Amino acid sequence: MSQNTAIEAPRYGYVYGLTFSASSGTTLLVGVGQATDSNNIINLPLTTATTLNTAVNGANGLDTGTLAVSSSYYVFVIGSSTNAAPTATLLSLSSTAPLLPKGYDSFRRIGSIITNSGGGLNNIYMFGNNSHRIYFYDFADSFSFTTTTGYVAKSFTSFVPATAQIIKFNYLYTPATAGNSVLVRTTGSSSVGNISITGNVAAQVTAGIADFNTNTSQSLDFKFTSGSDAFTMLVIGFEEFI
């Protein structure tokens, strides 16, 4: 049984390990590690890899209810400041106030995940030994665009949580004319374009990988040189700071 220990000089925001993966649609496997709780008072060590089962409510499960479709969920490590309960994991719709099981009074968010249209967890793998968390999907859903010469917003809320700061993409761009480009910016920005992708040869596909900054709207604006250009993006993951 892992216990929670007070630390004399806690480091604000400290987290080590506690990475996770989801591949079954109903469970998460959370690796060993530790983190200071959200109040920066106690240490929450998870000493063995733990399966979080979304089919149950409570410790090592969903905090309440059942999984909603196409929704952002947040993963926590939880514990007791009085060692009344062992360190465990928890999944919640809330990123800041999970419903804690009896005996628990401390928590720390360690990551995020999205459910799919069928109500299961999207298959995902997370990396990072600190507050910077990087996520990759083991699938990629594509988005085709109606190319326009004015900025048009595209929402990605079905693929990245509200806490994400960066959306990760593969893209395929086919310019109608050599030198055409697509401008991408965070929705709400007044900039000309945070990133510009240029196609150097007419009708030839330009392929690449890009990271785009986003905000809590999880939306990006796209603008094309020509309405005859073709553009497809594949969401492959996201990044956040917890």
Side-chain angles (χ1 to χ4, degrees), residues 20-22 25-30 51-68 71-78 88-101 107-115 119-122 124:
F20 58 79
S21 62
T26 59
T27 62
L28 282 168
L29 180 62
V30 182
T51 297
L52 190 161
N53 184 358
T54 62
V56 301
N57 294 132
N60 296 321
L62 183 62
D63 62 348
T64 185
T66 58
L67 287 178
S71 299
S72 298
Y73 276 87
Y74 303 95
V75 187
F76 295 85
V77 61
I78 60 174
T89 61
L90 193 69
L91 191 70
S92 177
L93 275 171
S94 173
S95 63
T96 57
L99 180 62
L100 296 177
F107 63 87
R108 169 67 189 278
R109 187 170 76 85
I110 58 172
S112 308
I113 194 167
I114 298 287
T115 55
L121 300 173
N122 276 334
I124 199 168

